[in-house]
Amino acid sequence: MSDAARGGDLVVVTDLAKRFGDNAAVDGVSFEIREGEVFGLLGPNGAGKTTTISMISCLIAPSAGTITVGGYSVATDAAKVKNALGVVPQEIALYPTLTALENLRFWGRMYGLSGTLLDERVTEALELAGLADRAKERVETYSGGMKRRINIAAGIMHRPRLLIMDEPTVGIDPQSRNHILETVKELNHRGMTVLYTSHYMEEVEFLCDRVGIMDHGRIIALGTLDELKRLVGDENVISVRVADVPEGVLDALRAVAGVDSVTCSAEGAEAAAEDAPAEGPAADAVTTTDDSRVIQVLSRDSGAVIADVVAVLGRAGARVLSVDVREPNLESVFLHLTGKSLRD
Amino acid sequence: MRWFHIGMRDLKITVRDRASLGILLVMPMVLIIILSSALGNLASNLGKTPVAIVNLDKGSVGAQITDGFFTDGQLSELFLASRMHDPEAARALVANGDLAGALVVPADFSRRLNTGRPSVLTLYTDPGRQIAGTVFRSVAESLSTRVSAASIAARTSAYYVTRLRVKDPTFVGRVIGEAVRSATETGALTAVGLKETTAAKGEELSQLSYYSGAMSVMFLMFGSMFGAFSLVRERDNWTLPRMLMTPTPRAEVLGGKMLGVFLIGMCQFAVLVAFTSVLGVKWGDPLATVLVAASTVGAATGLAVFIAAIAKTVRAVSGLAQMLIQFMAAVGGSFVPVSVFPAWMQPLHYASVNGWAIDAILSTMRGGNTLAVLPNVAALLGMAALFFTIGAWRLRWE
């Protein structure tokens, strides 16, 4: 084992790069994941998160850089690395015409399980997924959330040292989302190290001990939640949902005294209304399906600025639907670092 | 053993897919019945019948008989005749199915007839080509009758003119007519006999037998399309990348996928053999049949990897697979027997899996043993290796 691994780093990624033609999907990424922690990779779609974990999972070869898992090099000891990994892909990578039980038995065998041990681990995984009573039903008959839970169960039966989860809550109902988040907590509590990617900052805030924020193939910030929030200082986010955005209104907002930055994003396409959680850690991750847009204003003096922001919008003819003020969070960190929303 | 679980899983998924079962099993069953009932006779009558004419006669009578196959307009319409000099070579070509028949005129044919002694024409026919054989036999019988009549006429004329010195040509003509009519009525036109020998090695094949083999092979090839679908779908659905992220080596994943295609093909073949056997088809030597089936399914499996490597999407797989499979089915004799193709087109069937496979299946149906089908098995395995090598080299995994 490497020195890094003995020192508590389960994963060490150094100067990792991946190019597809002229496009640099990952561009010089370095980070470590400590044994026993939940490490989050946060970034918008296309930031390079999936490419990064595909390289850690030995699926695609890096163009440059090195990766070690448990002291073994992905480049030279792929078989040993794969034995230490459990991967939950973003897609529902299951066989829809097979039952959950058949799927889990198959994936268990792919990880080398057999006999009584396989039976025990399948039962355990089904109970963790909360689907033991529906194990003999075909996966194609499941809801999206149930499929996601079996998708996760298929990756943990061999009790990997590192569980890699790529956007595991995309497109599911609130109950399943909360179930998954609690499952990740539980697995981590049992000692499993987790690499969790998401573009939902609330999930990452809820789960992760440390977070790497990715954008355009690079890690633009890395640290604990507190360390990252300190990057923003005492800036709050004033989030205004408007029915329409008149021309020139963003420049007018930037001119307001006390406003540090302004962004505007469409909210409609992000998630279905049925996904909206009633409450809980994932609640903020969900947006609406209408055509409204969200203007986000960063300000160190939100209390004084909010009235001016609403007034400017009103004078410009924008129809304000709601106004929300938040303390610094990962969203505002991303906004602060990139000048854009996570969901742009 | 992970490859085994991958293969068994694919078999299970296919068995549960009613649409796949419909195409792989029900369609060939229906087509076997329809084609053998409706197109059987048509297939036998399409095009000219290839025959060989072997004239060993040193005199002129043999030439008078055989020249008609090359100069007579009606016979030329029916037969694609070729001159040969070796009766045994002609018989072998008929036995191999390359010719529908051969007519052999013996060396002393003219001399025997001219001296009043009977002679025998030899006819080789292929029992697998019932209708073509019947037509060829009728023509040969007609020729032998005409030569017999001419022989009687010549001898009658010689007797009256030379021996009795009768000089009235009208009288001589009437006497000749009487002699020929009398010989015809009494069945005494036997100056030229016709000896028919079936040159093929074994039993006569029905159209049902032919299309049982031909359609089974074609739909085994469609099984390769489903194999290619499976590979591309697994890539798109992320189950293939997920397998590659487990400790299962790529070779084992590909081996498992190929095992799946192979198992599906063998099960499909077994069901079709059972179904057609109930209808009365005799498939012949079991070991030879299994060898031919396994090598054909092997070639289809290799083709599945090849198609999955070349086509990047499910739609592209469908297009490419249908083009390849239908081309091979057409030139390989799955739709109509290769023997009805023009001569220039017939060698094309060696370029198709179907051609080698159908040839071998017909051979076992006619009584051929394992040894007889080994060249075909070798050719099919060669195709399997070629398709697989190119496919494995070009296959995109992620």
Side-chain angles (χ1 to χ4, degrees):
Chain A
M1 290 178 67
S2 70
D3 292 339
R6 277 197 298 271
D9 288 337
L10 180 61
V11 180
V12 180
V13 176
T14 309
D15 297 329
L16 188 66
K18 182 67 185 178
R19 300 190 71 82
F20 296 104
D22 293 335
N23 177 40
V26 175
D27 189 9
V29 164
S30 298
F31 61 87
E32 297 84 32
I33 302 174
R34 295 166 192 160
E35 185 106 47
E37 76 173 349
V38 179
F39 182 87
L41 269 183
L42 179 70
N45 292 327
K49 307 186 297 293
T50 298
T51 305
T52 300
I53 64 170
S54 292
M55 288 188 280
I56 297 172
S57 309
C58 313
L59 182 62
I60 56 175
S63 303
T66 60
I67 305 167
T68 63
V69 178
Y72 296 112
S73 165
V74 161
T76 56
D77 290 311
K80 288 173 179 163
V81 169
K82 287 177 180 179
N83 274 318
L85 298 182
V87 184
V88 179
Q90 185 173 348
E91 288 73 14
I92 308 285
L94 300 170
Y95 299 97
T97 56
L98 299 185
T99 67
L101 186 64
E102 289 166 336
N103 266 287
L104 292 181
R105 290 185 67 81
F106 173 75
W107 289 111
R109 286 189 175 112
M110 291 300 102
Y111 281 107
L113 301 176
S114 61
T116 314
L117 184 61
L118 174 64
D119 294 339
E120 287 171 5
R121 296 292 178 81
V122 166
T123 305
E124 185 183 293
L126 281 167
E127 284 169 1
L128 193 71
L131 291 166
D133 57 332
R134 299 190 63 178
K136 291 182 179 172
E137 294 176 26
R138 289 188 187 192
V139 167
E140 65 188 354
T141 65
Y142 283 10
S143 69
M146 291 159 72
K147 288 176 185 168
R148 286 265 169 215
R149 280 142 67 184
I150 293 296
N151 203 34
I152 293 170
I156 60 170
M157 282 179 291
H158 61 299
R159 295 183 182 165
R161 284 179 74 186
L162 174 67
L163 177 63
I164 298 175
M165 306 181 84
D166 188 11
E167 307 258 11
T169 61
V170 169
I172 60 171
D173 59 274
Q175 288 77 14
S176 288
R177 186 189 298 267
N178 287 334
H179 185 280
I180 287 169
L181 296 177
E182 292 300 338
T183 301
V184 177
K185 280 275 188 194
E186 171 63 21
L187 291 170
N188 181 241
H189 181 69
R190 293 181 189 178
M192 210 175 277
T193 305
V194 179
L195 168 55
Y196 191 96
T197 81
S198 179
H199 64 278
Y200 295 142
M201 61 106 182
E202 298 81 3
E203 291 181 2
V204 174
E205 282 187 340
F206 176 70
L207 289 173
C208 299
D209 303 303
R210 290 192 311 128
V211 179
I213 298 179
M214 285 193 81
D215 191 36
H216 293 304
R218 292 172 173 272
I219 297 270
I220 57 173
L222 180 66
T224 64
L225 291 175
D226 287 340
E227 286 169 347
L228 291 174
K229 285 175 184 173
R230 276 201 290 275
L231 293 174
V232 191
D234 53 359
E235 276 183 336
N236 286 346
V237 180
I238 303 168
S239 184
V240 187
R241 195 158 69 91
V242 292
D244 44 49
V245 182
E247 197 174 340
V249 74
L250 297 183
D251 288 336
L253 288 171
R254 289 185 185 108
V256 173
V259 167
D260 295 331
S261 69
V262 178
T263 64
C264 179
S265 61
E267 292 254 305
E270 281 290 328
E274 65 185 24
D275 288 342
E279 54 186 18
D284 292 339
V286 177
T287 56
T288 60
T289 54
D290 58 31
D291 294 329
S292 63
R293 300 177 73 82
V294 172
I295 296 172
Q296 292 189 310
V297 179
L298 275 183
S299 171
R300 288 181 174 77
D301 191 9
S302 56
V305 162
I306 191 167
D308 293 338
V309 167
V310 173
V312 167
L313 289 168
R315 279 200 296 278
R319 191 155 60 89
V320 176
L321 302 174
S322 66
V323 180
D324 183 24
V325 181
R326 296 178 192 174
E327 291 186 346
N329 56 21
L330 289 176
E331 178 76 41
S332 53
V333 172
F334 191 80
L335 191 61
H336 174 80
L337 293 172
T338 67
K340 62 185 183 183
S341 164
L342 262 172
R343 289 158 203 163
D344 275 352
Chain B
M1 282 296 284
R2 287 167 180 151
W3 59 274
F4 176 76
H5 296 299
I6 295 170
M8 291 305 290
R9 180 216 58 205
D10 277 1
L11 180 61
K12 188 183 283 185
I13 287 172
T14 303
V15 168
R16 287 184 184 174
D17 182 356
R18 287 180 189 172
S20 298
L21 289 183
I23 292 172
L24 295 177
L25 293 177
V26 179
M27 280 291 287
M29 289 175 183
V30 170
L31 282 176
I32 285 167
I33 292 170
I34 291 175
L35 288 175
S36 61
S37 306
L39 295 179
N41 291 334
L42 177 63
S44 295
N45 284 322
L46 285 173
K48 294 181 180 181
T49 303
V51 294
I53 306 300
V54 185
N55 181 19
L56 303 175
D57 184 25
K58 302 288 189 294
S60 61
V61 183
Q64 286 169 20
I65 290 176
T66 56
D67 284 351
F69 281 96
F70 303 95
T71 55
D72 184 278
Q74 282 185 322
L75 287 183
S76 298
E77 286 281 312
L78 284 172
F79 299 105
L80 182 67
S82 55
R83 291 187 194 276
M84 291 185 71
H85 304 289
D86 182 357
E88 190 48 37
R91 192 201 62 77
L93 287 175
V94 177
N96 285 338
D98 296 323
L99 294 173
L103 179 66
V104 180
V105 182
D108 57 353
F109 189 65
S110 294
R111 191 164 52 81
R112 291 183 72 89
L113 290 179
N114 289 338
T115 56
R117 286 179 295 166
S119 187
V120 175
L121 294 172
T122 303
L123 187 69
Y124 295 118
T125 53
D126 178 356
R129 303 187 191 190
Q130 244 180 335
I131 293 175
T134 304
V135 173
F136 191 46
R137 190 184 308 114
S138 301
V139 170
E141 280 170 355
S142 165
L143 286 170
S144 67
T145 305
R146 257 193 277 170
V147 172
S148 293
S151 172
I152 288 171
R155 277 186 283 130
T156 306
S157 166
Y159 178 77
Y160 277 87
V161 173
T162 312
R163 293 277 181 88
L164 303 181
R165 299 186 183 281
V166 175
K167 292 186 179 169
D168 181 358
T170 311
F171 175 75
V172 173
R174 197 165 61 241
V175 170
I176 290 172
E178 286 292 329
V180 171
R181 188 160 46 258
S182 170
T184 306
E185 285 169 5
T186 58
L189 278 180
T190 54
V192 178
L194 191 63
K195 179 186 166 197
E196 183 175 352
T197 307
T198 51
K201 294 166 192 160
E203 293 182 36
E204 182 175 324
L205 291 184
S206 65
Q207 296 302 334
L208 177 63
S209 297
Y210 182 85
Y211 281 109
S212 294
M215 284 295 115
S216 296
V217 170
M218 188 172 90
F219 281 88
L220 283 183
M221 300 306 290
F222 272 112
S224 72
M225 183 172 76
F226 284 89
F229 273 147
S230 168
L231 260 168
V232 173
R233 279 207 188 105
E234 286 225 46
R235 190 168 63 202
D236 292 349
N237 296 342
W238 261 74
T239 45
L240 185 61
R242 186 173 204 168
M243 269 191 272
L244 299 176
M245 291 190 281
T246 70
T248 311
R250 285 187 180 202
E252 210 168 336
V253 172
L254 186 57
K257 293 300 296 176
M258 291 180 68
L259 175 68
V261 181
F262 186 82
L263 287 176
I264 292 162
M266 289 305 283
C267 290
Q268 181 191 7
F269 193 78
V271 170
L272 292 174
V273 166
F275 170 75
T276 51
S277 295
V278 169
L279 298 179
V281 174
K282 290 177 181 161
W283 285 80
D285 182 59
L287 179 61
T289 305
V290 168
L291 265 180
V292 173
S295 53
T296 306
V297 174
T301 305
L303 184 64
V305 179
F306 175 80
I307 292 169
I310 302 298
K312 307 298 182 199
T313 63
V314 169
R315 180 178 287 190
V317 165
S318 178
L320 178 63
Q322 291 200 41
M323 189 180 72
L324 282 174
I325 292 166
Q326 290 189 27
F327 171 77
M328 287 203 277
V331 301
S334 280
F335 298 133
V336 290
V338 173
S339 58
V340 305
F341 292 173
W344 65 265
M345 195 191 276
Q346 292 189 12
L348 276 180
H349 88 280
Y350 292 117
S352 77
V353 173
N354 304 52
W356 288 101
I358 292 170
D359 196 33
I361 287 171
L362 296 182
S363 173
T364 58
M365 284 177 168
R366 285 177 173 140
N369 57 15
T370 304
L371 211 59
V373 298
L374 279 184
N376 297 60
V377 170
L380 290 166
L381 292 179
M383 286 181 166
L386 179 69
F387 286 137
F388 171 75
T389 305
I390 298 172
W393 170 51
R394 300 289 300 169
L395 189 64
R396 188 171 62 87
W397 293 85
E398 299 91 20

